[in-house]
């Protein structure tokens, strides 16, 4: 089992930055693919970014060029640097992990989830 705990959310003005972190326990993450998803009330959880165990990356078009996903396997952690934030980035952000192979961008592909951290961007 993998336990994931997100942190770093908060309230920020449009144009500002936040850095989300995800701390993992229970297993070493070095062989897991990791991702960030987000969800707003009444909408499905949507893909934000993923980083595979080998460093391969993928981003949603809506965040490309503004967000950067990274991982530190020595600290069993995942990060999301969010710059140039927009009000439409407001959501609960979730960290996810899977042992599946290949770039995955759907919720069904990920086996482990954190509880989420709220990000609110004011206009």
């Amino acid at each position: 089992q993998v336990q994931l705990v997100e942190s770093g959310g908060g309230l920020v003005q449009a144009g500002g930055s936040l850095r989300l972190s995800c701390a993992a326990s229970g297993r070493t993450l070095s062989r897991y693919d990791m991702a960030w998803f987000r969800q707003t009330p009444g909408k499905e959880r949507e893909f934000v970014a993923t980083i595979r165990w080998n460093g391969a990356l993928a981003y949603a078009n809506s965040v490309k060029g503004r967000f950067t996903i990274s991982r530190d396997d020595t600290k069993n952690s995942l990060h999301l640097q969010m710059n140039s934030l927009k009000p439409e980035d407001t959501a609960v952000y979730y960290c996810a992990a899977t042992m599946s192979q290949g770039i995955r961008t759907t919720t069904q592909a990920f086996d482990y989830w954190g509880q989420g951290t709220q990000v609110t961007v004011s206009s």
Side-chain angles (χ1 to χ4, degrees):
Q1 288 287 341
V2 175
Q3 291 80 43
L4 303 171
V5 178
E6 302 93 338
S7 62
L11 174 64
V12 64
Q13 288 188 335
S17 298
L18 280 175
R19 179 177 170 84
L20 304 184
S21 295
C22 174
S25 60
R27 295 281 178 87
T28 300
L29 291 183
S30 60
R31 300 297 292 185
Y32 283 77
D33 297 344
M34 306 291 296
W36 289 97
F37 287 76
R38 65 187 182 187
Q39 188 171 23
T40 54
K43 293 188 177 181
E44 293 187 356
R45 196 167 295 186
E46 67 172 5
F47 168 76
V48 175
T50 187
I51 182 167
R52 296 204 59 216
W53 66 273
N54 59 3
L57 304 172
Y59 293 93
N61 288 334
S62 59
V63 307
K64 201 171 292 184
R66 298 187 299 122
F67 291 10
T68 302
I69 189 171
S70 63
R71 62 191 295 161
D72 185 346
D73 290 340
T74 65
K75 297 182 178 179
N76 238 26
S77 62
L78 177 73
H79 304 282
L80 185 68
Q81 178 67 43
M82 305 186 295
N83 299 328
S84 303
L85 283 162
K86 304 175 182 180
E88 51 263 43
D89 294 319
T90 295
V92 177
Y93 283 71
Y94 297 90
C95 171
T98 182
M99 284 287 284
S100 299
Q101 295 184 358
I103 292 289
R104 297 289 185 265
T105 62
T106 63
T107 56
Q108 295 88 339
F110 289 84
D111 303 308
Y112 304 100
W113 293 87
Q115 293 300 306
T117 184
Q118 176 71 47
V119 171
T120 303
V121 184
S122 63
S123 58

